[in-house]
Amino acid sequence: MMRRPLALLLSLALAFPVRAVDLPDLGDVGTSDLSTAAERRIGDEIIREIRWKDAAYLDDPEIEEYVNRLGHRLVAASDKPLQDFDFFVIKDPTLNAFALPGGHVGVHSGLILAAQSESELASVLGHEIAHVTQRHIAQIVGKQSQAGMAMLASLLIAVLAARSSSQVSEAAIAAGSAGALQSQLGYTRDYEREADRVGLQVLEGAGFDVRGMPSFFERLQRGTRLYENNAPAYLRTHPLTFERIADMENRVSSMRYRQVLDSSDFGYVQAKLRAQAGLPADAVKDLESRLAQQPRDATQRYGLARALMRAGRLDEAQAMLDKLRGDAPPSSFIEQLGAEILLARKDGAGAVRLLSTAQKRFPGSRSVGYALADAQILSGMPAAAASGVRQLLNSRGDDVRLWQLLSRADQALGKRTAQHRAQAEVYALQGSLPAAIEQLEIARREADADFYELSAVDARLRELKQRYRDEKRDKERFGGS
């Protein structure tokens, strides 16, 4: 089975620069749909490339936590509530979102900012969730038989390359046969209609305003006039027609009317994205203008405080935050910003106290846990950080951020074996087994661990070496490099 063309196309899509992606064996796609296990393996390979090699990936635990909370609320209302999903954000001003095989759903920061309500944002995520739960990618591969790999490559290149370069996208599409692409477009129209229908059901089941879907999609379509022949990325990868919008509106008219207020976190995420955009001075001006128009909006005040901090105007940022605390309900966004301001003022102990209280108030927040451990390390409390992180790893052993924090804490404590052992887990989760094996071999050579820890290192080293041998064998078998 051919794998190299897909690897090449995906490397173009995820550039710049990125090595080719070696995808796993897909099974006999000529006789059946892509298996769910193969879908997940493919998606995991791609998401590793995005997270660890694409500079556009937004590595922001607060924003990612919000998008995942929103996404999983929708998944819970779908017909496959137990399916694994992972939501992430790409730093890109264009309006785009996409679903990858295996439940990975990406959304551009530009689309989050373009949403005028949380229900509008949820409608796009619901649409992408429907693409996954209805297994559209797997069906495309299965129905195209021998052309399945080329079809999968074309589909993935469309969603991943649209945000970077139309030439890259066109070059990738040209690599496939014209007949196969024509068939793909036909299937895509059918799948888009199905994703609309299923997405609306998910949106309603999750308690959002179903009017958010046709209103957002219609606004996107109207916006195409401003782009002339260059439609927004989302409309290039998700062909939108008047018939689809009319069908959505007809379905919505028969659904129960529900007025839904946006969560404060939706506003905080939009404000944080604005505060992080462009030059600090420009972000301050933008948010000052927005606050002048909405003086009672807590999220705009939060955004301005964050922009002021970014601009180095710490006293003003603190004053703005103090006023916000007096007016707004408790929020993990407010507390984490307060800790960042304290750290910027070299008050590490104050940041740790603030985040320790926040962790008790918001025990389910991963981003607060990361921020607390980071503040403890920066403030000379690595033992407390290591202890807290190890407790969290008991239930979240696949959390790469926790392993990164543990490696830093152990390094600060001078525990070299433990440091390299934790760093090995970071590399293993990032998909770099040779680097993980090297870290464990370094850990073995250090002389600061007891018998039990060295035994654990040896056991993990044997496991990773076997995995690496298996992967090399599979690559040789299926023509990978």
Side-chain angles (χ1 to χ4, degrees):
M1 178 172 295
M2 293 179 61
R3 293 172 46 180
R4 294 286 291 171
L6 178 57
L8 176 59
L9 292 177
L10 285 172
S11 69
L12 287 171
L14 297 171
F16 299 96
V18 173
R19 66 169 173 79
V21 181
D22 293 314
L23 296 179
D25 176 30
L26 302 182
D28 186 1
V29 297
T31 58
S32 65
D33 292 346
L34 191 65
S35 74
T36 54
E39 264 196 290
R40 189 69 192 185
R41 289 198 300 273
I42 292 170
D44 289 347
E45 290 280 355
I46 298 168
I47 197 63
R48 277 197 288 265
E49 294 288 321
I50 294 174
R51 287 186 188 278
W52 312 121
K53 296 185 174 129
D54 189 343
Y57 166 69
L58 182 61
D59 185 14
D60 187 304
E62 277 188 299
I63 294 176
E64 188 170 290
E65 182 174 33
Y66 165 75
V67 173
N68 272 276
R69 187 166 60 249
L70 178 63
H72 284 102
R73 174 179 168 184
L74 292 160
V75 171
S78 73
D79 59 353
K80 294 182 175 64
L82 299 180
Q83 180 168 343
D84 287 335
F85 271 87
D86 164 55
F87 300 86
F88 61 97
V89 180
I90 295 293
K91 291 180 292 186
D92 195 304
T94 60
L95 310 183
N96 204 5
F98 52 89
L100 297 174
H104 300 286
V105 176
V107 57
H108 285 196
S109 56
L111 190 138
I112 296 174
L113 289 172
Q116 293 181 1
S117 71
E118 192 167 33
S119 290
E120 287 191 349
L121 176 58
S123 74
V124 175
L125 293 182
H127 184 96
E128 299 307 321
I129 288 167
H131 278 309
V132 175
T133 60
Q134 304 313 113
R135 306 200 64 233
H136 289 159
I137 294 174
Q139 291 179 59
I140 287 173
V141 174
K143 290 174 182 176
Q144 292 302 321
S145 187
Q146 294 301 315
M149 287 303 296
M151 298 312 307
L152 180 56
S154 298
L155 180 65
L156 295 179
I157 201 74
V159 296
L160 291 173
R163 66 181 168 83
S164 57
S165 167
S166 59
Q167 293 180 339
V168 171
S169 185
E170 290 166 4
I173 290 174
S177 68
L181 286 170
Q182 191 173 25
S183 297
Q184 176 195 319
L185 291 174
Y187 285 129
T188 300
R189 293 188 188 98
D190 291 339
Y191 291 157
E192 289 300 317
R193 285 191 290 270
E194 184 177 31
D196 291 340
R197 175 181 58 79
V198 175
L200 272 173
Q201 294 172 351
V202 167
L203 200 63
E204 183 180 39
F208 288 100
D209 181 2
V210 292
R211 296 171 302 171
M213 180 177 280
S215 68
F216 197 20
F217 281 36
E218 186 174 12
R219 198 164 69 252
L220 285 173
Q221 189 180 57
R222 287 200 307 268
T224 60
R225 302 191 193 105
L226 301 176
Y227 293 85
E228 296 180 350
N229 295 325
N230 185 22
Y234 193 74
L235 300 191
R236 295 200 303 270
T237 57
H238 297 72
L240 186 61
T241 63
F242 287 109
E243 289 77 13
R244 275 182 59 201
I245 292 177
D247 183 56
M248 279 186 261
E249 289 174 338
N250 287 336
R251 292 180 185 276
V252 166
S253 66
S254 64
M255 293 178 171
R256 183 170 66 88
Y257 171 76
R258 176 188 284 133
Q259 185 176 20
V260 180
L261 298 178
D262 295 338
S263 73
S264 59
D265 285 356
F266 171 68
Y268 286 131
V269 165
Q270 287 191 320
K272 186 173 187 180
L273 287 171
R274 291 190 179 101
Q276 292 174 339
L279 296 173
D282 292 337
V284 169
K285 289 180 181 178
D286 175 46
L287 285 152
E288 283 177 336
S289 174
R290 291 178 182 275
L291 184 58
Q293 296 172 30
Q294 300 173 286
R296 299 180 64 85
D297 190 331
T299 62
Q300 301 299 343
R301 192 173 296 140
Y302 162 85
L304 179 55
R306 181 166 282 284
L308 288 167
M309 182 193 69
R310 184 175 167 226
R313 296 160 62 176
L314 300 181
D315 290 343
E316 294 172 80
Q318 185 65 59
M320 183 67 63
L321 187 67
D322 290 341
K323 188 174 181 181
L324 175 60
R325 276 206 181 99
D327 297 338
S331 168
S332 63
F333 281 88
I334 295 174
E335 299 313 307
Q336 289 185 76
L337 175 56
E340 289 178 50
I341 293 173
L342 288 171
L343 285 172
R345 296 175 119 172
K346 310 301 181 184
D347 184 3
V352 169
R353 285 194 300 272
L354 181 61
L355 289 167
S356 296
T357 301
Q359 190 176 51
K360 295 173 184 175
R361 178 176 284 179
F362 309 103
S365 174
R366 292 192 176 195
S367 59
V368 170
Y370 301 141
L372 174 58
D374 180 64
Q376 287 170 329
I377 294 169
L378 293 174
S379 305
M381 307 178 213
S387 176
V389 167
R390 286 195 174 93
Q391 287 182 355
L392 294 173
L393 281 169
N394 288 332
S395 58
R396 287 155 47 191
D398 60 348
D399 190 327
V400 70
R401 288 190 177 102
L402 289 179
W403 285 110
Q404 288 171 327
L405 287 164
L406 183 58
S407 180
R408 285 175 53 203
D410 285 332
Q411 181 182 29
L413 289 166
K415 296 182 176 181
R416 297 186 301 276
T417 298
Q419 171 201 342
H420 292 293
R421 182 183 174 189
Q423 188 61 38
E425 298 304 326
V426 172
Y427 288 136
L429 289 167
Q430 291 175 346
S432 181
L433 290 182
I437 290 168
E438 181 182 20
Q439 285 295 311
L440 289 173
E441 288 175 339
I442 294 173
R444 286 179 67 188
R445 294 196 295 268
E446 299 292 352
D448 64 340
D450 59 23
F451 170 79
Y452 298 102
E453 186 167 10
L454 288 176
S455 296
V457 169
D458 287 337
R460 186 60 168 153
L461 185 58
R462 287 193 297 271
E463 180 184 352
L464 293 187
K465 282 184 174 180
Q466 184 60 52
R467 269 176 54 185
Y468 185 52
R469 284 192 293 268
D470 292 344
E471 287 189 7
K472 285 184 66 177
R473 184 188 64 239
D474 288 346
K475 289 178 182 179
E476 291 169 359
R477 180 182 176 192
F478 295 107
S481 61

